[in-house]
Amino acid sequence: MSTFDFADRYAQAGLKPTPEIIEARKASFERIRDEADKKKLLDLVAVYYGLESDLSWFRDELREEDPTFSLVSNERESVLLAAIILAYRVANGDPISILGLVAGSVQGKRVPTEHVWLLDDACAAMLTNATTARVPQKLTTPIRFSTKLNVSNEIATEGSDTETLGQVLIKVHNENQSAARIVAKQVTDALLVLEKNAAYQREESQILWWLFGEHSRSLSKPFSAFLPAQAALVGGIELGELSTASVLGPVAAPAVLDRVLRGAKADEAHSIPLMSAIDDFGDDLAKLKPLRPERYGICPILTAIEKAREIGAGAWGNVFQTTTGLDALLEFNPMELALQVYYEYLLGNAE
């Protein structure tokens, strides 16, 4: 991130720090952006969306350059710094930052109070990176190996005494070792390309067999046995299970999930409360195989499933609202529900 971009974000937010503070923040920013792990990145996503999170590590990092920094008096600046760090990671294709921001928006039902540009950047980056990742890589062929030795002239010109021959043999050995390493690297690079291409092809094949079979893997029922809301949850979770190569999922994921929903029972309802969507599963809820939510506020659908299992149908709403900040009666249409749980599943697998 350039100096202009950093200072410009401050100006855009209406903050006017001194040049000394700007330099101190830049130093903290550069360290955090490179070292932040998954937990810390999701802490920053939580800050961006106004969710509760333990930011003691963030405060301590900033105090390395500015001992006066406070999360209370610098609350708006903390949100801005979180956004700037995440923006850098998004621009560099970091899947945790991208998926965390996309999932955290809950299909547009949670709107950040400031710096909306970051969510726009994350949505654009998700599409761009998902598209780029699926472009088949080309093999570099043919694999080349040079058998010409540079020491051949030395053998002809320096005689054949024992000492000279010994030195020449060492050089021959070293040149052969170097040539072997070059060939090994070419072969390894080629195999990695083949492995990646094969992984994407296998993923696509598995998704297509599942889609054409129109059958739930986890519940052993056809899609036609489900109402749209239940088909959305089953489809999103199972597509997540099948996305074994795609870190950000296949670009056609919305089309795949639409096909699943078209196979569900006919239902005139355009949207349904989350609680109804979960509770209407009945005993089948225990058979679903969702991941544990990475962060309650960022993964509300997986959280709802977890709380419904723990507490029971109809009784989990209050705990859900406390942990996520969302109402259990929040309404989703089937496609929103399917995409949301799918993105949450991808976030759980992202590293």
Side-chain angles (χ1 to χ4, degrees), residues 260-315:
V260 172
L261 294 174
R262 281 191 281 138
K265 290 180 180 179
D267 188 357
E268 295 182 359
H270 295 293
S271 60
I272 185 172
L274 178 59
M275 178 170 279
S276 298
I278 301 292
D279 289 351
D280 285 351
F281 266 111
D283 294 338
D284 281 342
L285 185 65
K287 300 177 185 177
L288 285 178
K289 301 175 183 178
L291 294 177
R292 181 176 177 80
E294 280 292 333
R295 195 68 62 92
Y296 287 144
I298 298 172
C299 301
I301 309 303
L302 293 179
T303 300
I305 294 172
E306 179 181 281
K307 297 306 176 187
R309 284 173 161 177
E310 291 176 356
I311 301 171

Short mmCIF file of all heavy atoms in Angstrom, two decimals, residues 260-315:
data_model
loop_
_atom_site.label_atom_id
_atom_site.label_comp_id
_atom_site.label_asym_id
_atom_site.label_seq_id
_atom_site.Cartn_x
_atom_site.Cartn_y
_atom_site.Cartn_z
N VAL A 260 -30.09 -26.82 -7.47
CA VAL A 260 -30.55 -27.59 -6.31
C VAL A 260 -31.92 -27.10 -5.86
O VAL A 260 -32.84 -27.89 -5.60
CB VAL A 260 -29.55 -27.48 -5.14
CG1 VAL A 260 -30.13 -28.10 -3.87
CG2 VAL A 260 -28.23 -28.15 -5.49
N LEU A 261 -32.08 -25.78 -5.79
CA LEU A 261 -33.34 -25.20 -5.32
C LEU A 261 -34.49 -25.49 -6.28
O LEU A 261 -35.64 -25.67 -5.86
CB LEU A 261 -33.18 -23.70 -5.12
CG LEU A 261 -32.21 -23.28 -4.01
CD1 LEU A 261 -32.02 -21.78 -4.00
CD2 LEU A 261 -32.71 -23.77 -2.66
N ARG A 262 -34.19 -25.54 -7.57
CA ARG A 262 -35.24 -25.84 -8.54
C ARG A 262 -35.73 -27.28 -8.42
O ARG A 262 -36.82 -27.61 -8.87
CB ARG A 262 -34.75 -25.56 -9.95
CG ARG A 262 -34.79 -24.07 -10.31
CD ARG A 262 -34.54 -23.84 -11.77
NE ARG A 262 -33.13 -23.91 -12.10
CZ ARG A 262 -32.63 -24.51 -13.17
NH1 ARG A 262 -33.44 -25.14 -14.00
NH2 ARG A 262 -31.34 -24.51 -13.40
N GLY A 263 -34.91 -28.12 -7.79
CA GLY A 263 -35.32 -29.51 -7.59
C GLY A 263 -36.12 -29.72 -6.31
O GLY A 263 -36.62 -30.82 -6.06
N ALA A 264 -36.26 -28.67 -5.48
CA ALA A 264 -36.99 -28.79 -4.22
C ALA A 264 -38.51 -28.74 -4.46
O ALA A 264 -38.98 -28.47 -5.56
CB ALA A 264 -36.57 -27.68 -3.27
N LYS A 265 -39.24 -28.99 -3.39
CA LYS A 265 -40.70 -28.92 -3.47
C LYS A 265 -41.15 -27.51 -3.85
O LYS A 265 -40.49 -26.52 -3.50
CB LYS A 265 -41.32 -29.27 -2.11
CG LYS A 265 -41.20 -30.73 -1.71
CD LYS A 265 -41.85 -30.95 -0.34
CE LYS A 265 -41.74 -32.40 0.10
NZ LYS A 265 -42.35 -32.61 1.44
N ALA A 266 -42.26 -27.43 -4.53
CA ALA A 266 -42.82 -26.12 -4.88
C ALA A 266 -43.32 -25.44 -3.60
O ALA A 266 -43.93 -26.06 -2.74
CB ALA A 266 -43.98 -26.29 -5.86
N ASP A 267 -42.99 -24.15 -3.48
CA ASP A 267 -43.39 -23.37 -2.30
C ASP A 267 -43.53 -21.92 -2.73
O ASP A 267 -42.61 -21.35 -3.32
CB ASP A 267 -42.34 -23.51 -1.19
CG ASP A 267 -42.81 -22.88 0.11
OD1 ASP A 267 -43.91 -22.30 0.14
OD2 ASP A 267 -42.06 -22.96 1.10
N GLU A 268 -44.68 -21.32 -2.42
CA GLU A 268 -44.92 -19.95 -2.85
C GLU A 268 -44.21 -18.92 -1.99
O GLU A 268 -44.13 -17.76 -2.36
CB GLU A 268 -46.43 -19.67 -2.86
CG GLU A 268 -47.20 -20.51 -3.87
CD GLU A 268 -48.68 -20.17 -3.88
OE1 GLU A 268 -49.08 -19.30 -3.07
OE2 GLU A 268 -49.43 -20.76 -4.68
N ALA A 269 -43.72 -19.34 -0.82
CA ALA A 269 -43.07 -18.38 0.08
C ALA A 269 -41.76 -17.89 -0.54
O ALA A 269 -40.93 -18.69 -0.98
CB ALA A 269 -42.80 -19.03 1.43
N HIS A 270 -41.58 -16.57 -0.60
CA HIS A 270 -40.36 -16.00 -1.17
C HIS A 270 -39.24 -15.93 -0.15
O HIS A 270 -38.06 -15.92 -0.50
CB HIS A 270 -40.65 -14.60 -1.72
CG HIS A 270 -41.61 -14.61 -2.87
ND1 HIS A 270 -41.30 -15.17 -4.09
CD2 HIS A 270 -42.88 -14.14 -2.97
CE1 HIS A 270 -42.33 -15.04 -4.91
NE2 HIS A 270 -43.31 -14.44 -4.26
N SER A 271 -39.58 -15.85 1.13
CA SER A 271 -38.57 -15.81 2.18
C SER A 271 -39.14 -16.48 3.42
O SER A 271 -40.36 -16.67 3.55
CB SER A 271 -38.14 -14.37 2.49
OG SER A 271 -39.25 -13.60 2.92
N ILE A 272 -38.22 -16.82 4.34
CA ILE A 272 -38.65 -17.56 5.53
C ILE A 272 -37.75 -17.16 6.69
O ILE A 272 -36.55 -16.91 6.51
CB ILE A 272 -38.57 -19.08 5.27
CG1 ILE A 272 -39.14 -19.86 6.46
CG2 ILE A 272 -37.14 -19.51 4.98
CD1 ILE A 272 -39.25 -21.36 6.17
N PRO A 273 -38.29 -17.06 7.91
CA PRO A 273 -37.44 -16.76 9.07
C PRO A 273 -36.39 -17.85 9.27
O PRO A 273 -36.66 -19.04 9.03
CB PRO A 273 -38.43 -16.72 10.24
CG PRO A 273 -39.76 -16.46 9.61
CD PRO A 273 -39.72 -17.12 8.28
N LEU A 274 -35.21 -17.46 9.70
CA LEU A 274 -34.13 -18.42 9.91
C LEU A 274 -34.54 -19.52 10.88
O LEU A 274 -34.25 -20.69 10.66
CB LEU A 274 -32.89 -17.69 10.43
CG LEU A 274 -31.67 -18.56 10.75
CD1 LEU A 274 -31.21 -19.34 9.52
CD2 LEU A 274 -30.53 -17.71 11.29
N MET A 275 -35.25 -19.15 11.95
CA MET A 275 -35.65 -20.15 12.93
C MET A 275 -36.52 -21.23 12.30
O MET A 275 -36.34 -22.43 12.56
CB MET A 275 -36.37 -19.49 14.11
CG MET A 275 -36.86 -20.50 15.15
SD MET A 275 -37.47 -19.76 16.66
CE MET A 275 -35.91 -19.45 17.52
N SER A 276 -37.44 -20.82 11.45
CA SER A 276 -38.31 -21.80 10.79
C SER A 276 -37.50 -22.69 9.85
O SER A 276 -37.72 -23.91 9.78
CB SER A 276 -39.42 -21.09 10.01
OG SER A 276 -40.25 -20.35 10.88
N ALA A 277 -36.57 -22.08 9.12
CA ALA A 277 -35.75 -22.86 8.19
C ALA A 277 -34.97 -23.95 8.91
O ALA A 277 -34.83 -25.07 8.40
CB ALA A 277 -34.79 -21.93 7.45
N ILE A 278 -34.48 -23.63 10.11
CA ILE A 278 -33.70 -24.60 10.88
C ILE A 278 -34.60 -25.63 11.54
O ILE A 278 -34.40 -26.85 11.43
CB ILE A 278 -32.85 -23.89 11.95
CG1 ILE A 278 -31.88 -22.88 11.32
CG2 ILE A 278 -32.09 -24.91 12.80
CD1 ILE A 278 -30.78 -23.44 10.51
N ASP A 279 -35.64 -25.16 12.22
CA ASP A 279 -36.48 -26.06 13.01
C ASP A 279 -37.31 -27.00 12.16
O ASP A 279 -37.67 -28.10 12.61
CB ASP A 279 -37.40 -25.25 13.93
CG ASP A 279 -36.63 -24.58 15.07
OD1 ASP A 279 -35.43 -24.90 15.24
OD2 ASP A 279 -37.22 -23.74 15.78
N ASP A 280 -37.63 -26.60 10.93
CA ASP A 280 -38.44 -27.46 10.07
C ASP A 280 -37.70 -28.73 9.63
O ASP A 280 -38.32 -29.63 9.05
CB ASP A 280 -38.90 -26.68 8.82
CG ASP A 280 -40.01 -25.70 9.15
OD1 ASP A 280 -40.53 -25.74 10.28
OD2 ASP A 280 -40.35 -24.86 8.28
N PHE A 281 -36.41 -28.82 9.90
CA PHE A 281 -35.67 -30.04 9.58
C PHE A 281 -36.11 -31.20 10.47
O PHE A 281 -36.01 -32.36 10.10
CB PHE A 281 -34.17 -29.82 9.78
CG PHE A 281 -33.44 -29.44 8.53
CD1 PHE A 281 -32.92 -28.18 8.38
CD2 PHE A 281 -33.28 -30.35 7.50
CE1 PHE A 281 -32.25 -27.81 7.23
CE2 PHE A 281 -32.61 -30.00 6.34
CZ PHE A 281 -32.09 -28.73 6.21
N GLY A 282 -36.55 -30.87 11.69
CA GLY A 282 -36.92 -31.93 12.62
C GLY A 282 -35.72 -32.80 12.98
O GLY A 282 -34.62 -32.31 13.21
N ASP A 283 -35.91 -34.11 12.97
CA ASP A 283 -34.84 -35.04 13.34
C ASP A 283 -33.68 -35.03 12.35
O ASP A 283 -32.56 -35.43 12.70
CB ASP A 283 -35.40 -36.47 13.46
CG ASP A 283 -36.39 -36.60 14.61
OD1 ASP A 283 -36.33 -35.77 15.53
OD2 ASP A 283 -37.21 -37.54 14.57
N ASP A 284 -33.93 -34.60 11.13
CA ASP A 284 -32.87 -34.58 10.13
C ASP A 284 -31.77 -33.58 10.45
O ASP A 284 -30.66 -33.67 9.91
CB ASP A 284 -33.45 -34.24 8.75
CG ASP A 284 -34.12 -35.44 8.10
OD1 ASP A 284 -33.85 -36.57 8.53
OD2 ASP A 284 -34.93 -35.24 7.18
N LEU A 285 -32.05 -32.63 11.33
CA LEU A 285 -31.05 -31.62 11.67
C LEU A 285 -29.79 -32.26 12.23
O LEU A 285 -28.67 -31.81 11.96
CB LEU A 285 -31.62 -30.61 12.67
CG LEU A 285 -30.72 -29.42 13.01
CD1 LEU A 285 -30.50 -28.54 11.78
CD2 LEU A 285 -31.33 -28.59 14.15
N ALA A 286 -29.97 -33.32 13.01
CA ALA A 286 -28.82 -33.99 13.63
C ALA A 286 -27.95 -34.72 12.60
O ALA A 286 -26.79 -35.03 12.87
CB ALA A 286 -29.30 -34.98 14.68
N LYS A 287 -28.50 -34.97 11.40
CA LYS A 287 -27.75 -35.70 10.38
C LYS A 287 -26.93 -34.80 9.48
O LYS A 287 -26.07 -35.28 8.74
CB LYS A 287 -28.72 -36.52 9.53
CG LYS A 287 -29.53 -37.55 10.32
CD LYS A 287 -30.53 -38.27 9.41
CE LYS A 287 -31.43 -39.19 10.19
NZ LYS A 287 -32.44 -39.84 9.31
N LEU A 288 -27.19 -33.50 9.51
CA LEU A 288 -26.39 -32.57 8.72
C LEU A 288 -24.96 -32.57 9.23
O LEU A 288 -24.70 -32.84 10.40
CB LEU A 288 -26.96 -31.16 8.80
CG LEU A 288 -28.23 -30.86 7.99
CD1 LEU A 288 -28.66 -29.43 8.23
CD2 LEU A 288 -28.00 -31.10 6.51
N LYS A 289 -24.03 -32.24 8.35
CA LYS A 289 -22.61 -32.26 8.71
C LYS A 289 -21.96 -30.89 8.52
O LYS A 289 -21.01 -30.76 7.75
CB LYS A 289 -21.88 -33.31 7.89
CG LYS A 289 -22.42 -34.72 8.06
CD LYS A 289 -21.73 -35.68 7.13
CE LYS A 289 -22.30 -37.09 7.24
NZ LYS A 289 -21.65 -38.03 6.30
N PRO A 290 -22.46 -29.88 9.20
CA PRO A 290 -21.82 -28.57 9.06
C PRO A 290 -20.55 -28.48 9.87
O PRO A 290 -20.35 -29.23 10.83
CB PRO A 290 -22.88 -27.61 9.62
CG PRO A 290 -23.58 -28.43 10.67
CD PRO A 290 -23.59 -29.85 10.14
N LEU A 291 -19.67 -27.57 9.48
CA LEU A 291 -18.49 -27.31 10.29
C LEU A 291 -18.88 -26.49 11.51
O LEU A 291 -19.91 -25.82 11.53
CB LEU A 291 -17.47 -26.51 9.46
CG LEU A 291 -16.84 -27.21 8.26
CD1 LEU A 291 -15.92 -26.23 7.54
CD2 LEU A 291 -16.05 -28.44 8.69
N ARG A 292 -18.04 -26.53 12.51
CA ARG A 292 -18.24 -25.64 13.65
C ARG A 292 -17.98 -24.21 13.17
O ARG A 292 -17.00 -23.96 12.46
CB ARG A 292 -17.27 -26.00 14.78
CG ARG A 292 -17.45 -25.12 16.01
CD ARG A 292 -16.54 -25.57 17.16
NE ARG A 292 -16.67 -24.69 18.29
CZ ARG A 292 -17.64 -24.73 19.18
NH1 ARG A 292 -18.58 -25.65 19.05
NH2 ARG A 292 -17.69 -23.89 20.19
N PRO A 293 -18.85 -23.26 13.52
CA PRO A 293 -18.65 -21.88 13.04
C PRO A 293 -17.31 -21.30 13.49
O PRO A 293 -16.93 -21.44 14.65
CB PRO A 293 -19.83 -21.12 13.64
CG PRO A 293 -20.32 -21.97 14.77
CD PRO A 293 -20.03 -23.37 14.38
N GLU A 294 -16.60 -20.66 12.57
CA GLU A 294 -15.32 -20.03 12.90
C GLU A 294 -15.50 -18.90 13.90
O GLU A 294 -14.68 -18.68 14.78
CB GLU A 294 -14.67 -19.48 11.63
CG GLU A 294 -13.96 -20.53 10.80
CD GLU A 294 -12.72 -21.06 11.49
OE1 GLU A 294 -12.11 -20.35 12.30
OE2 GLU A 294 -12.36 -22.23 11.21
N ARG A 295 -16.56 -18.14 13.75
CA ARG A 295 -16.85 -17.01 14.64
C ARG A 295 -18.36 -16.81 14.60
O ARG A 295 -18.95 -16.68 13.52
CB ARG A 295 -16.12 -15.77 14.15
CG ARG A 295 -16.05 -14.63 15.16
CD ARG A 295 -15.16 -14.99 16.34
NE ARG A 295 -13.79 -15.25 15.97
CZ ARG A 295 -12.83 -14.31 15.98
NH1 ARG A 295 -13.10 -13.07 16.31
NH2 ARG A 295 -11.59 -14.65 15.66
N TYR A 296 -19.01 -16.78 15.74
CA TYR A 296 -20.47 -16.75 15.78
C TYR A 296 -21.07 -15.61 14.96
O TYR A 296 -21.98 -15.81 14.17
CB TYR A 296 -20.95 -16.67 17.23
CG TYR A 296 -20.78 -17.95 18.02
CD1 TYR A 296 -20.44 -17.94 19.36
CD2 TYR A 296 -20.96 -19.19 17.40
CE1 TYR A 296 -20.29 -19.13 20.08
CE2 TYR A 296 -20.81 -20.38 18.10
CZ TYR A 296 -20.47 -20.33 19.45
OH TYR A 296 -20.32 -21.51 20.14
N GLY A 297 -20.56 -14.41 15.16
CA GLY A 297 -21.15 -13.27 14.46
C GLY A 297 -20.92 -13.29 12.97
O GLY A 297 -21.73 -12.78 12.19
N ILE A 298 -19.81 -13.89 12.54
CA ILE A 298 -19.46 -13.90 11.12
C ILE A 298 -20.11 -15.08 10.41
O ILE A 298 -20.34 -15.03 9.20
CB ILE A 298 -17.92 -13.94 10.97
CG1 ILE A 298 -17.31 -12.68 11.59
CG2 ILE A 298 -17.50 -14.06 9.51
CD1 ILE A 298 -15.79 -12.70 11.66
N CYS A 299 -20.44 -16.13 11.15
CA CYS A 299 -21.05 -17.34 10.57
C CYS A 299 -22.39 -17.64 11.25
O CYS A 299 -22.53 -18.64 11.97
CB CYS A 299 -20.11 -18.53 10.72
SG CYS A 299 -18.49 -18.31 9.94
N PRO A 300 -23.40 -16.80 11.02
CA PRO A 300 -24.65 -16.96 11.77
C PRO A 300 -25.45 -18.21 11.42
O PRO A 300 -26.13 -18.75 12.30
CB PRO A 300 -25.43 -15.68 11.40
CG PRO A 300 -24.86 -15.25 10.10
CD PRO A 300 -23.41 -15.61 10.16
N ILE A 301 -25.37 -18.70 10.19
CA ILE A 301 -26.19 -19.87 9.84
C ILE A 301 -25.63 -21.13 10.50
O ILE A 301 -26.38 -21.92 11.09
CB ILE A 301 -26.26 -20.06 8.31
CG1 ILE A 301 -26.66 -18.75 7.62
CG2 ILE A 301 -27.25 -21.17 7.97
CD1 ILE A 301 -27.97 -18.17 8.08
N LEU A 302 -24.32 -21.31 10.43
CA LEU A 302 -23.71 -22.44 11.12
C LEU A 302 -23.91 -22.33 12.62
O LEU A 302 -24.08 -23.35 13.31
CB LEU A 302 -22.22 -22.53 10.78
CG LEU A 302 -21.86 -22.87 9.34
CD1 LEU A 302 -20.34 -22.91 9.16
CD2 LEU A 302 -22.48 -24.20 8.92
N THR A 303 -23.91 -21.10 13.13
CA THR A 303 -24.16 -20.89 14.55
C THR A 303 -25.58 -21.29 14.91
O THR A 303 -25.83 -21.94 15.94
CB THR A 303 -23.92 -19.41 14.92
OG1 THR A 303 -22.58 -19.06 14.62
CG2 THR A 303 -24.20 -19.17 16.40
N ALA A 304 -26.54 -20.92 14.06
CA ALA A 304 -27.94 -21.27 14.31
C ALA A 304 -28.12 -22.78 14.35
O ALA A 304 -28.83 -23.31 15.23
CB ALA A 304 -28.83 -20.66 13.22
N ILE A 305 -27.48 -23.50 13.43
CA ILE A 305 -27.58 -24.95 13.42
C ILE A 305 -26.98 -25.54 14.70
O ILE A 305 -27.56 -26.43 15.33
CB ILE A 305 -26.87 -25.53 12.18
CG1 ILE A 305 -27.61 -25.10 10.90
CG2 ILE A 305 -26.79 -27.06 12.26
CD1 ILE A 305 -26.89 -25.46 9.62
N GLU A 306 -25.83 -25.01 15.10
CA GLU A 306 -25.18 -25.50 16.32
C GLU A 306 -26.05 -25.26 17.55
O GLU A 306 -26.24 -26.16 18.38
CB GLU A 306 -23.83 -24.80 16.49
CG GLU A 306 -23.08 -25.24 17.74
CD GLU A 306 -21.75 -24.51 17.90
OE1 GLU A 306 -20.78 -24.91 17.22
OE2 GLU A 306 -21.70 -23.54 18.70
N LYS A 307 -26.60 -24.06 17.69
CA LYS A 307 -27.42 -23.73 18.86
C LYS A 307 -28.73 -24.51 18.86
O LYS A 307 -29.21 -24.92 19.92
CB LYS A 307 -27.69 -22.23 18.90
CG LYS A 307 -26.44 -21.38 19.06
CD LYS A 307 -25.62 -21.79 20.26
CE LYS A 307 -24.32 -21.01 20.37
NZ LYS A 307 -23.44 -21.53 21.45
N ALA A 308 -29.31 -24.72 17.68
CA ALA A 308 -30.55 -25.51 17.61
C ALA A 308 -30.30 -26.94 18.06
O ALA A 308 -31.15 -27.56 18.72
CB ALA A 308 -31.11 -25.47 16.20
N ARG A 309 -29.16 -27.49 17.71
CA ARG A 309 -28.83 -28.84 18.14
C ARG A 309 -28.60 -28.91 19.64
O ARG A 309 -29.00 -29.87 20.31
CB ARG A 309 -27.56 -29.32 17.41
CG ARG A 309 -27.79 -29.72 15.97
CD ARG A 309 -26.46 -29.99 15.31
NE ARG A 309 -26.58 -30.80 14.11
CZ ARG A 309 -25.57 -31.12 13.32
NH1 ARG A 309 -24.36 -30.70 13.62
NH2 ARG A 309 -25.76 -31.84 12.25
N GLU A 310 -27.91 -27.89 20.16
CA GLU A 310 -27.57 -27.89 21.59
C GLU A 310 -28.78 -27.64 22.48
O GLU A 310 -28.95 -28.28 23.52
CB GLU A 310 -26.52 -26.81 21.87
CG GLU A 310 -25.15 -27.10 21.28
CD GLU A 310 -24.18 -25.95 21.51
OE1 GLU A 310 -24.62 -24.90 22.05
OE2 GLU A 310 -23.00 -26.08 21.14
N ILE A 311 -29.63 -26.69 22.08
CA ILE A 311 -30.70 -26.20 22.96
C ILE A 311 -32.05 -26.80 22.62
O ILE A 311 -32.87 -27.05 23.51
CB ILE A 311 -30.75 -24.66 22.90
CG1 ILE A 311 -29.40 -24.08 23.33
CG2 ILE A 311 -31.87 -24.11 23.78
CD1 ILE A 311 -29.26 -22.59 23.11
N GLY A 312 -32.29 -27.03 21.33
CA GLY A 312 -33.57 -27.60 20.92
C GLY A 312 -34.38 -26.63 20.10
O GLY A 312 -34.23 -25.40 20.19
N ALA A 313 -35.26 -27.18 19.29
CA ALA A 313 -36.09 -26.38 18.38
C ALA A 313 -36.94 -25.37 19.15
O ALA A 313 -37.51 -25.68 20.19
CB ALA A 313 -36.99 -27.30 17.56
N GLY A 314 -36.97 -24.14 18.62
CA GLY A 314 -37.81 -23.10 19.19
C GLY A 314 -37.25 -22.41 20.42
O GLY A 314 -37.78 -21.38 20.85
N ALA A 315 -36.17 -22.97 21.00
CA ALA A 315 -35.64 -22.41 22.25
C ALA A 315 -34.28 -21.76 22.08
O ALA A 315 -33.74 -21.20 23.04
CB ALA A 315 -35.56 -23.51 23.31
#
